Amino acid sequence: MNQENTRILVVEDEPKVASFVKRGLEENGFSCEIAFDGLMGKRMFDAADYDLLILDINLPYKNGIELCKEIRSCNQKIPVIMLTALGTTEDKLSGFDSGADDYLVKPFEFRELLARIRSLLKRILIAETGGNILKLLDLEVNLNTYEVTRGEKKIDLTQKEFALLVYLLQNKGRVLSRTDIAEKVWDINFDTGTNIIDVYVNFLRKKIDRDFSLKLIHTQTGIGYILKA
């Protein structure tokens, strides 16, 4: 994916922020279009092919969470970055649960946004050009099609369950702490007051391990989790 051919849709209702982001993206060689509310954003998304979306959460008519869920119902692949003033852990988890790939809190430095855009586009490029199958025994994840199978069984995962499984597979045989998982999968500092990591690991276990005698996801007491045979 060439950067100059990359089309980005920014859905942002603050004209100054939208203009700032558009100018910065275009100065860095991207093609950028702006929608000023959620309904306009959905119409523009349906009418054209974009390579990445940047969504504010507090939008008129249809908020960014709703918009992201609607987009994810028909497109699992396009990278989505939430750009918002809502910065609590709960806000971030809500954004990620709606299907966002990344979450950047206002105010932000443009170079930070640019780094995250390039990271997501690089991830897509790697999936498209090779290294697109992750395996452990009879568990297989296709990064191109987002298909997950174990043996002959097709397994349906949410966006965040999928991201968690990919991270575990990319680090198979290595114990991952809750802090590791929180930072790499949720992009949040681990809050010892939340059990969100344990909850999602349990969701994943039910889908990946429950119907199989050989378990792959293991708890390392007092440390975290490990994916291994």
Side-chain angles (χ1 to χ4, degrees):
M1 184 185 295
N2 294 326
Q3 186 163 298
E4 60 269 22
N5 296 326
T6 301
R7 296 183 69 185
I8 297 176
L9 175 62
V10 176
V11 188
E12 168 63 65
D13 66 322
E14 295 181 46
K16 287 184 179 179
V17 175
S19 176
F20 167 71
V21 172
K22 179 179 173 65
R23 184 173 64 252
L25 290 174
E26 291 178 344
E27 286 175 354
N28 282 274
F30 294 100
S31 171
C32 179
E33 295 171 30
I34 303 293
F36 292 102
D37 63 65
L39 288 178
M40 183 191 298
K42 184 61 166 61
R43 284 197 298 269
M44 291 177 66
F45 175 80
D46 289 339
D49 291 324
Y50 294 99
D51 300 297
L52 184 139
L53 302 181
I54 299 174
L55 308 180
D56 189 12
I57 289 184
N58 287 330
L59 293 167
Y61 307 123
K62 186 190 298 288
N63 67 43
I65 299 293
E66 294 174 79
L67 180 56
C68 190
K69 287 179 179 177
E70 287 187 19
I71 287 168
R72 281 289 176 242
S73 69
C74 61
N75 188 320
Q76 287 289 316
K77 294 183 180 181
I78 188 168
V80 178
I81 299 176
M82 291 288 190
L83 191 62
T84 177
L86 303 175
T88 69
T89 297
E90 290 72 22
D91 292 324
K92 291 181 179 180
L93 293 175
S94 178
F96 285 125
D97 285 345
S98 73
D101 297 285
D102 209 340
Y103 194 110
L104 192 58
V105 178
K106 300 174 184 176
F108 61 92
E109 288 191 37
F110 183 78
R111 61 182 179 176
E112 173 70 11
L113 174 62
L114 196 60
R116 298 195 185 204
I117 289 170
R118 286 173 172 159
S119 175
L120 287 173
L121 293 175
K122 182 180 178 182
R123 189 190 309 172
I124 295 294
L125 183 62
I126 290 171
E128 289 176 347
T129 58
N132 57 335
I133 303 291
L134 298 176
K135 297 180 71 172
L136 177 62
L137 298 182
D138 59 346
L139 174 65
E140 185 171 301
V141 173
N142 187 316
L143 298 177
N144 283 355
T145 63
Y146 286 75
E147 290 181 350
V148 178
T149 56
R150 183 158 185 199
E152 300 298 316
K153 182 182 178 184
K154 185 170 182 276
I155 299 169
D156 293 321
L157 300 179
T158 66
Q159 191 79 6
K160 226 57 203 169
E161 289 167 355
F162 182 86
L164 175 58
L165 179 59
V166 167
Y167 183 58
L168 290 171
L169 275 165
Q170 288 172 334
N171 293 275
K172 58 189 175 186
R174 176 185 162 212
V175 178
L176 300 172
S177 70
R178 290 170 178 81
T179 300
D180 289 332
I181 295 170
E183 290 177 351
K184 296 299 190 298
V185 181
W186 274 267
D187 190 35
I188 58 174
N189 295 321
F190 181 62
D191 179 358
T192 54
T194 179
N195 65 342
I196 188 69
I197 309 300
D198 305 304
V199 168
Y200 269 84
V201 169
N202 285 332
F203 286 161
L204 203 53
R205 271 188 169 136
K206 289 177 183 176
K207 296 181 178 182
I208 298 298
D209 278 344
R210 184 172 59 183
D211 296 333
F212 299 88
S213 57
L214 184 62
K215 310 304 180 188
L216 299 179
I217 302 174
H218 304 274
T219 302
Q220 200 80 7
T221 305
I223 304 175
Y225 298 97
I226 182 171
L227 189 75
K228 65 179 182 178

